[in-house]
Amino acid sequence: MKDQRIVLTHDSVGLYGRGMLDVHRLRVFSSVVASGSVQGAAANLAYTPSAVSQHITALQRETGLVLFERVGRGLRPTPAGLVLAAEADAVLARLGEAESRVADLRAGRTGTLSIAYFASAGAAWLPSAVRRVSEAFPGVRLDLRLSEALPADPGVRADLQLIVETEGFAPGPGFTAHRLREDPYLAVLPREHARAGEGAIDLLDLAGEPWIDNDVADGPCRARLVQACHAAGFAPPFRLRAHDYPTAMAFVSAGMGITVIPGLCSVLLPPDLRAVPVVRPAPVRTVTAVLRSASDGPPLRAALEAFRALAAGDPVPGPSGSGHRSRPGPIGQDGRPDVLT
């Protein structure tokens, strides 16, 4: 910048409006205004004076404005330059806020994490998992939803949803599935029942008992139980239909019959009842976490880690990594985590 003013030709002015202002050039321009010279801005930015001059020349060409006039050995912004400098400062400040917000989101210091769960997983695991995520990421808002089935519309799914797998299940594009646990079923009996103290009970031995239904008729958990009963050669003799586990167990406590529940539901077991594993055949449901790939980040990974630990029966690691590290599984037959994509 050897001239008193930088004057643009008519052709150069004609370039104004052909594109967006370059943010990097605005930074350089703001530094020149603040330091009062090209040399000062170059020293602050670790650039050469020539590079700073080129950026200013290009910015004047973009805007079609004379931005500086020379005063002695320094530069003084023109009236147009002062207006642009004020706007540039506001833009750069807002951009800095956006960059900070992006960094917070990337590190999990802010944002929202949605978790959907079915009832028994919520009762058994959700409080511990939520506490883990909340302690590690206090700035993240948790959106908790009770949902017994994975929505068909991917747009309304949670970032992480706990499900019971159905036949032919696939997570779908943009999601991954992490199998957490094979959950065997238990017979819930009154404490005084003749079989209440046994280590296991054949499913067929329950055929003569009055049964309390504990799930909706088309639910995947009920379907697995009914299929196992058919394999044993009988249809479950439902005396009452309660459609939820706590109510069904309350009926057992009242002496109205027995009920058969998935193992996770035993967290709700009243003290006057006993839960005995069912065998030959042993109905089992598969509990899986479905994750939205686009939501991957520290909070989502911490939630998955917590659910994995809970499914494996390990302590949930604290924010600083305290406690055992949970197995990355459950482990499949090949010894590796069971993950579907």
Side-chain angles (χ1 to χ4, degrees), residues 84-98:
L84 181 60
E87 295 293 335
D89 288 345
V91 168
L92 294 174
R94 184 69 187 91
L95 183 61
E97 293 174 3

Side-chain angles (χ1 to χ4, degrees), residues 5-69:
R5 287 174 178 263
I6 301 175
V7 182
L8 300 178
T9 66
H10 175 75
D11 290 339
S12 296
V13 174
L15 293 173
Y16 176 61
R18 292 187 180 182
M20 300 282 290
L21 291 178
D22 186 282
V23 172
H24 181 60
R25 288 172 186 157
L26 287 178
R27 291 187 190 278
V28 175
F29 168 68
S30 182
S31 182
V32 173
V33 172
S35 62
S37 69
V38 169
Q39 289 75 14
N44 293 334
L45 298 173
Y47 286 0
T48 64
S50 174
V52 172
S53 295
Q54 290 173 14
H55 280 298
I56 297 302
T57 300
L59 182 61
Q60 293 186 122
R61 185 167 60 247
E62 289 177 349
T63 60
L65 299 171
V66 176
L67 301 176
F68 291 102
E69 58 184 350

Side-chain angles (χ1 to χ4, degrees), residues 256-290:
M256 303 297 292
I258 62 100
T259 194
V260 180
I261 64 172
L264 273 181
C265 303
S266 62
V267 70
L268 305 171
L269 192 71
D272 61 324
L273 300 181
R274 296 293 179 266
V276 181
V278 174
V279 295
R280 288 187 293 272
V284 174
R285 66 177 184 176
T286 302
V287 180
T288 295
V290 179

